[in-house]
Amino acid sequence: MTSHSKPCVLVTGGAGYIGSHAVLALRDAGWPVAVIDNLSTGFRFAIPDDVPLYEGDIADADLLARIVAEQRVGAIMHFAGSIVVPESVADPLKYYHNNTAKSRALIEAAVRGGVAHFIFSSTAATYGIPDVAAVDEDTPQRPINPYGWSKLMTEQMLADVAAAHPLNYGVLRYFNVAGADPLARSGQSTAGATHLIKVAIEAALGMRESVSVFGTDYATPDGTGVRDYIHVSDLAAAHVLTLEALIAEPARSLTMNCGYGRGFSVTEVLDAVDRVTNRQLDRRIEGRRAGDPDSLISNPARLKQALGWAPKHADLDTIIAHALAWERKLSDLRGEG
């Protein structure tokens, strides 16, 4: 498929963390791209100058219709949404509005505009606290917070809409996304982010006094929670492969876990940050947070089999090194360096 025959991909939330890496991966692979983002948590600097940016809301039907027509959009990658689990518990209506109701409006705009392919950024939080060591796509989905439910509802909408309209979809359930573009073109830029690796690097660079460890009594080898960390660029590559698969087989939809199938504990991650930064983090032991599973590890077999996906950055120290390089660049962008 030449770039002339490739449809434009509209990336919602393309100025945010994962969305901006998807934009880079699409451009690197020769796809025409446009972005819609309300810039509430995204950054204009994260979008390349030659990518059209529509500043607005994904629930704005008139704006979406205009973008689909102007850019000849053939596929949508949907990253826009709210992602902080404790906030979803405190303000569930915000999450059902931003993640569920607005996704419904976006899916409707896709159907009305004749957009044939839809890729949705879902989450391992739809599994809740699973009973198995490695979670596959058939593991029961039992969310334990509004964030997980808001994403699961969108998965269900996509399945129902695809059965009724000429649309196929890819649902990608992310485990713990980390790292930054290896060329330092983008990274995790959100102030006050809650991602462990981001927080630990900020502490290593003197931007935070300490790192909180929430719970040391989990049923894990060292007592701290275990998570499956995936490099954001490997995740972005999976989105491009999913798009190609959906176009190749219009009658097929795909639901896939995105992780490496290997877990690291909080202690192991902080030890790695110490190692990569050559600093000693000040660790503060605190109580468990509600709803944190002991361990959450993916089985990524389907992703590998269906798409031939092979991660390039499946190394914890590499993930941390790329995140560190981005954090230093970010200080310069903000004029702090």
Side-chain angles (χ1 to χ4, degrees), residues 232-271:
V232 65
S233 296
D234 283 338
L235 180 61
H239 284 75
V240 177
L241 291 171
T242 301
L243 176 64
E244 292 168 354
L246 294 181
I247 291 172
E249 293 188 62
R252 179 191 191 198
S253 292
L254 294 161
T255 297
M256 294 169 295
N257 287 335
C258 296
Y260 291 149
R262 142 109 230 234
F264 290 97
S265 72
V266 172
T267 298
E268 287 175 315
V269 170
L270 297 182
D271 287 348

Side-chain angles (χ1 to χ4, degrees), residues 97-172:
H97 182 61
N98 281 351
N99 293 356
T100 312
K102 288 187 179 183
S103 292
R104 184 211 162 278
L106 181 66
I107 295 166
E108 181 175 28
V111 170
R112 285 190 169 171
V115 177
H117 314 292
F118 196 106
I119 296 174
F120 175 55
S121 157
S122 192
T123 170
T126 62
Y127 296 113
I129 299 180
D131 300 326
V132 292
V135 177
D136 67 21
E137 292 79 7
D138 298 320
T139 299
Q141 289 177 284
R142 299 185 293 243
I144 58 167
N145 52 58
Y147 169 63
W149 277 112
S150 72
K151 292 285 195 173
L152 183 54
M153 288 176 181
T154 303
E155 289 191 17
Q156 185 63 49
M157 279 193 283
L158 280 169
D160 294 339
V161 171
H165 298 281
L167 172 97
N168 68 343
Y169 65 87
V171 164
L172 298 183

Side-chain angles (χ1 to χ4, degrees), residues 15 20 42-47 49 180 183-190 198 207 323-337:
S20 65
F43 299 87
R44 195 177 292 273
F45 66 66
I47 301 172
D49 293 339
L183 302 177
R185 294 173 294 177
S186 188
Q188 169 58 279
S189 306
T190 315
K198 166 94 170 170
M207 297 157 65
L324 177 65
W326 174 253
E327 203 61 53
R328 288 180 167 142
K329 181 173 179 179
L330 193 57
S331 293
D332 294 338
L333 284 170
R334 291 177 173 155
E336 297 164 1

Side-chain angles (χ1 to χ4, degrees), residues 49-68:
D49 293 339
D50 59 352
V51 172
L53 166 63
Y54 294 84
E55 192 176 338
D57 197 285
I58 59 164
D60 184 337
D62 293 339
L63 175 60
L64 286 167
R66 179 164 70 84
I67 298 169
V68 169

Side-chain angles (χ1 to χ4, degrees), residues 6-75:
K6 288 177 175 176
C8 177
V9 182
L10 176 62
V11 178
T12 77
Y17 176 37
I18 302 172
S20 65
H21 287 83
V23 169
L24 293 172
L26 287 162
R27 283 176 79 248
D28 290 349
W31 292 86
V33 186
V35 168
I36 179 170
D37 199 301
N38 65 8
L39 299 180
S40 62
T41 56
F43 299 87
R44 195 177 292 273
F45 66 66
I47 301 172
D49 293 339
D50 59 352
V51 172
L53 166 63
Y54 294 84
E55 192 176 338
D57 197 285
I58 59 164
D60 184 337
D62 293 339
L63 175 60
L64 286 167
R66 179 164 70 84
I67 298 169
V68 169
E70 282 179 5
Q71 300 295 335
R72 300 197 175 119
V73 173

Side-chain angles (χ1 to χ4, degrees), residues 171-257:
V171 164
L172 298 183
R173 295 179 188 146
Y174 307 166
F175 284 68
N176 285 52
V177 187
D181 175 57
L183 302 177
R185 294 173 294 177
S186 188
Q188 169 58 279
S189 306
T190 315
T194 56
H195 301 67
L196 176 64
I197 289 175
K198 166 94 170 170
V199 167
I201 286 170
E202 287 179 350
L205 294 178
M207 297 157 65
R208 294 175 186 251
E209 286 185 7
S210 61
V211 179
S212 295
V213 177
F214 296 103
T216 55
D217 58 347
Y218 286 103
T220 59
D222 66 24
T224 62
V226 170
R227 297 292 181 269
D228 187 340
Y229 294 89
I230 177 171
H231 192 296
V232 65
S233 296
D234 283 338
L235 180 61
H239 284 75
V240 177
L241 291 171
T242 301
L243 176 64
E244 292 168 354
L246 294 181
I247 291 172
E249 293 188 62
R252 179 191 191 198
S253 292
L254 294 161
T255 297
M256 294 169 295
N257 287 335

